[in-house]
Amino acid sequence: MTQSRGPLLSFVVSLLPLLLMKPAIRKQHIVIFLIFIIMLASFIVMMNFEYILFNRFETAYQQSFIRVGIWAHTLDMVQIHPFFGWGFNKELHFVNSLNAPVKTTHSLYLSTLLKGGIAGLFLLGGVLSYGLYMAKKHLAYRQGFEAALFLFMIFFFTTQGMFIISNPGVTWYLFWFPLAVILSPPGKQTTLSV
């Protein structure tokens, strides 16, 4: 729905904590899933979306190489200032294989490495590791929504985001809100479970 594979993959991965809370898969779940797949396939065929779908897969395959090129260039830049990075205002000045200018790393983690170096990535890793620890505690209180939200954020920013400290926008909220939720103490009074 976002025309991007990153958020869709992040959504699927983030459902894992919810699945862990209800691990019993019954026959009715399988039947409902199969009916959904059949209905989706029928809809795609009836609306002649298969051409658009296959075209999108082909475009996605080609674009994945473009992003890998951006990431390789970012790692080359990191090698120049590996320990403390280039600083907060650093942007890429890179022309990709489509001759399009690129200024962002298309990955929060590579952006952190570029701007903050190994030290910055270590600090971010510490915050996210503590978040994973807290996600496990939330799951112990059967608060799967909180853990799912945090997992979505972690995987989403693998292929998205560069500006999460400044410029409050959608990506700003997608990072800081899940982090705040998961770092809150688990318990009955803080539940957001669905």
Side-chain angles (χ1 to χ4, degrees), residues 29-102:
H29 295 133
I30 296 171
V31 170
I32 291 171
F33 178 75
L34 290 175
I35 290 172
F36 174 75
I37 294 297
I38 291 169
M39 288 174 53
L40 181 63
S42 300
F43 178 75
I44 288 171
V45 170
M46 287 188 320
M47 302 304 268
N48 293 324
F49 281 149
E50 66 269 8
Y51 171 76
I52 296 170
L53 189 62
F54 289 124
N55 189 23
R56 181 67 184 148
F57 283 134
E58 182 180 339
T59 304
Y61 178 74
Q62 293 169 349
Q63 287 177 350
S64 65
F65 290 110
I66 294 169
R67 192 154 291 177
V68 169
I70 295 168
W71 292 343
H73 175 71
T74 301
L75 292 175
D76 290 342
M77 297 295 296
V78 166
Q79 290 177 2
I80 298 171
H81 297 288
F83 297 109
F84 296 105
W86 287 84
F88 182 71
N89 293 324
K90 178 65 176 168
E91 289 183 347
L92 293 180
H93 297 286
F94 174 67
V95 178
N96 65 18
S97 60
L98 297 177
N99 291 324
V102 176

Side-chain angles (χ1 to χ4, degrees), residues 142-153:
R142 302 200 47 79
Q143 295 173 328
F145 175 74
E146 290 83 346
L149 187 64
F150 185 70
L151 274 182
F152 175 83
M153 181 268 293

Side-chain angles (χ1 to χ4, degrees), residues 121-141:
L121 190 60
F122 179 76
L123 292 172
L124 178 64
V127 169
L128 296 179
S129 295
Y130 184 69
L132 286 171
Y133 167 76
M134 290 299 290
K136 186 177 177 185
K137 288 183 84 167
H138 279 273
L139 280 174
Y141 280 89

